[in-house]
Amino acid sequence: MDFVSIRVITDDVARLVDFYERATGVRASRYSEDFAELRTASGTLAIGSTRTVALTAPGAARPADNRTVIIEFLVDDVDGVHRNLTGFVEDFVNEPTTMPWGNRSLLLRDPDGNLVNFFTPVTPAAREKFAR
């Protein structure tokens, strides 16, 4: 089994896709007005409209209602990401901070309020863990 993606449900696919394209620098594949994917080498962030939920599991997911999941992106320079997103992101939860487990982390909320973490391993153990 392989973990391949996370899907975020939203009332506004275009707005959320535009946000993630800008925040990550990854170009999305837009399959319809109701579904898009941002693919990276290690996984995919899928973005679907509330209309897609009705096709498979009506009422199972609600947009802008998450308070438990953090979407995480490994980046080369988290401080550079912070500089790039300043003035674009409306809700920074924290400034870049070095965590006890060795990652320098920037936590923010996307336009739907989902938590997003950009991080850079900075200690030898963390760098080794995420070596590409």
Side-chain angles (χ1 to χ4, degrees):
M1 177 186 342
D2 286 330
F3 180 79
V4 295
S5 72
I6 285 186
R7 185 179 314 177
V8 175
I9 299 299
T10 184
D11 284 328
D12 192 338
V13 171
R15 177 190 66 170
L16 213 53
V17 169
D18 290 346
F19 172 85
Y20 279 101
E21 283 183 331
R22 167 79 187 268
T24 66
V26 175
R27 189 102 172 126
S29 296
R30 298 172 191 238
Y31 298 103
S32 74
E33 66 180 10
D34 290 324
F35 189 77
E37 293 179 326
L38 285 89
R39 294 177 177 263
T40 71
S42 57
T44 299
L45 176 62
I47 300 172
S49 79
T50 52
R51 291 184 293 269
T52 64
V53 176
L55 297 172
T56 57
R62 293 184 309 267
D65 198 31
N66 171 39
R67 291 292 184 239
T68 60
V69 174
I70 302 173
I71 301 166
E72 297 189 301
F73 294 96
L74 173 65
V75 298
D76 291 332
D77 177 13
V78 74
D79 292 283
V81 170
H82 181 248
R83 284 188 299 276
N84 182 53
L85 296 179
T86 297
F88 173 68
V89 168
E90 293 181 17
D91 190 359
F92 285 106
V93 176
N94 74 348
E95 304 289 318
T97 304
T98 302
M99 299 299 178
W101 47 89
N103 293 333
R104 189 154 172 79
S105 175
L106 169 66
L107 197 62
L108 56 93
R109 290 197 184 274
D110 74 13
D112 277 3
N114 300 302
L115 281 171
V116 182
N117 181 37
F118 291 93
F119 72 95
T120 301
V122 294
T123 64
R127 282 195 293 270
E128 183 179 333
K129 177 181 176 184
F130 292 102
R132 299 182 196 181

